[in-house]
Amino acid sequence: MGAVEKPRAEVATTAAWDYAPAPEAREIVSFERRYGLFIGGEQVAPRSRSWFTTISPSTEEPLAEVAQGGPKDVGLAVDAAREAFRTWSRRKPSERAKVLFRIARILQERARELAVAESLDGGKPIKESRDVDLPLAAAHFFYYAGWADKLEYAFPGRRPRPLGVAAQIVPWNFPLLMLAWKIAPALACGNTVVLKPAETTPLTAMLFADVCRQAEVPPGVVNIVTGDGSTGAYLVREQGIDKVAFTGSTEVGKAIQRELAGREVSLTLELGGKAANIVFDDCALDQAVEGIVNGIYFNQGHVCCAGSRLLVQESIHDQLVGKLKRRMSTLRVGDPLDKNTDVGAINSSAQLERIAELVQSGVEEGAELYQPPCRLPEKGWWFAPTVFTNVAQSHRIAQEEIFGPVLSVLTFRTPDEAVEKANNTMYGLSAGVWTEKGSRILWMAERLRSGVVWGNTFNRFDPSSPFGGYKESGFGREGGRHGLEPYLRFE
Ligand code: NDP
């Protein structure tokens, strides 16, 4: 791990009682030794002749070899998508809908297998991949299947037409779910796609290629090119694309925007966040504590809309932080395949270094760190749930996206001050408001510069609800009727 010390929580104290292990059966998924690129409906060896190994972040065990897509491979994938666009875009919309419904049903049928694969390759707890990622991925396909033959009604008086070939680049925090967010609306609108999964989590995308085969998606309608960041860069540079949809870091989002400047390629960016979770003194405190925990420790905090800044009204600060620390001490960190696990593995050693570096900066800048006692496994990459109190707005941990299980607590006195502090960030993706007054939630929501504002809850997703950012969190919306528009032009 280079110069950065592997973070360790306080020494484990013996818990008063413990859970028996409850492992999900790993045998349900069997990976091939090697995965080629999925182009024109087939797995093909990369022209680059280059492969890399994807490993499990919780055990460091190699899972499979995956193709490293080079410029020629990306070109072939875009050609296949162009060719397929000629027929797919003219297919009867109700026929396109049938294909999407089939995908949705197969995702449901293979949900256990895909959930285990997601947890193995990405490190997230099985209860999250099983209860969140998979149901939502299937729900997105069901939802957009429903729109496929109703586009004229979605945009009355306008004549919606597909754009062409959509280049889609997804990150490692919700690999299959982000794939669904991208592919479902694109296909429903009559586009074809070339998708690039993240380097550290390509396996559920490769299993999805098999789902496409089962669902009889016509060859070339969905193409998947695996590889690292350079593969994504080749894809964006390809002249045959009509649209780029990207989810990932603000830095790469800006690079993509620069690359596309002057080209007639439509772009949507879903980038980072530093969401404020705002807790008023009149809220249901125990419910808020659950929401705070879910807001930041869900998926190890690898969530763009994570509630990573807790803004708490000064009068309840001590009481709330006390309750929060008690709740944190009950979180179980460890084997992602254990059904009792709350916090799984950090996705990669590089991400762990980033988290450790930012946490170190928090300590050096004078914030107070707390981690509950917990045992971290020897192998793999782990970070204990962490909370910082005494955080100043100028601290890096209050400004930068940590993308890990690290919460920064700040205080406010009045609603105006809460709004001002919440908006004091370059990001604008999400926010949460906890109060018993509905009118206050609406008052806050009007003033918060965030694409999503949750009231008395956090991290709730639904395919019918649009999601996206302001400021450096990007632009364009995914989900809902709004999520169709970026994949259409109007005559
Ligand atoms: P990136 O933005 O680098 O990765 C997102 C996707 O873009 C991946 O598929 C990646 O490929 C690809 N990519 C990387 N470079 C390029 C490029 N030049 N052109 C086109 N595509 C490219 O995120 P990281 O994985 O590096 O994470 C860094 C930080 O970004 C995190 O710490 C977090 O703060 C933030 N992040 C935010 C996410 C969000 O949902 N908003 C998601 C992921 C990260 P590859 O994985 O192969 O490098």
Side-chain angles (χ1 to χ4, degrees), residues 138-154:
H140 268 80
F141 279 99
F142 275 122
Y143 177 78
Y144 282 108
W147 273 123
D149 59 353
K150 299 173 196 70
L151 297 177
E152 310 278 346
Y153 302 95

Side-chain angles (χ1 to χ4, degrees), residues 100-320:
L100 291 174
F101 276 125
R102 283 205 291 270
I103 294 176
R105 279 196 293 268
I106 295 166
L107 287 179
Q108 286 184 322
E109 279 163 23
R110 295 178 64 173
R112 259 186 79 201
E113 172 199 357
L114 288 159
V116 171
E118 200 73 307
S119 287
L120 278 170
D121 203 21
K124 65 171 66 195
I126 187 71
K127 71 175 176 194
E128 290 178 6
S129 30
R130 182 196 62 195
D131 298 346
V132 180
D133 297 59
L134 259 297
L136 275 176
H140 268 80
F141 279 99
F142 275 122
Y143 177 78
Y144 282 108
W147 273 123
D149 59 353
K150 299 173 196 70
L151 297 177
E152 310 278 346
Y153 302 95
F155 304 99
R158 303 164 80 189
R159 285 161 53 88
R161 296 285 174 266
L163 292 171
V165 176
Q168 307 184 313
I169 301 173
V170 293
W172 41 262
N173 51 347
F174 294 91
L176 190 70
L177 183 57
M178 288 302 105
L179 173 152
W181 279 31
K182 299 271 179 290
I183 293 185
L187 262 47
C189 293
N191 303 279
T192 55
V193 306
V194 179
L195 177 110
K196 209 245 7 121
E199 182 185 357
T200 57
T201 52
L203 290 181
T204 43
M206 296 325 293
L207 295 178
F208 182 80
D210 192 49
V211 170
C212 290
R213 182 194 54 74
Q214 266 184 295
E216 295 172 20
V217 177
V221 169
V222 173
N223 304 275
I224 300 173
V225 280
T226 45
D228 60 15
S230 68
T231 310
Y234 298 135
L235 182 55
V236 173
R237 259 176 244 149
E238 267 297 318
Q239 293 303 312
I241 58 171
D242 302 284
K243 150 101 200 149
V244 173
F246 172 79
T247 299
S249 62
T250 296
E251 191 191 339
V252 174
K254 285 182 181 177
I256 291 176
Q257 202 172 9
R258 277 195 296 273
E259 178 62 39
L260 293 180
R263 286 171 58 189
E264 210 184 331
V265 175
S266 129
L267 174 65
T268 38
L269 296 175
E270 201 268 273
L271 309 175
K274 192 76 189 173
N277 207 355
I278 306 164
V279 182
F280 285 94
D281 60 4
D282 63 349
C283 77
L285 218 52
D286 291 318
Q287 194 186 327
V289 169
E290 287 309 309
I292 294 162
V293 166
N294 174 44
I296 185 64
Y297 302 122
F298 169 64
N299 202 30
Q300 298 75 248
H302 299 330
V303 183
C304 47
C305 53
S308 52
R309 284 184 302 151
L310 175 63
L311 295 187
V312 51
Q313 201 153 18
E314 205 174 79
S315 52
I316 53 163
H317 172 271
D318 293 354
Q319 194 190 359
L320 181 71

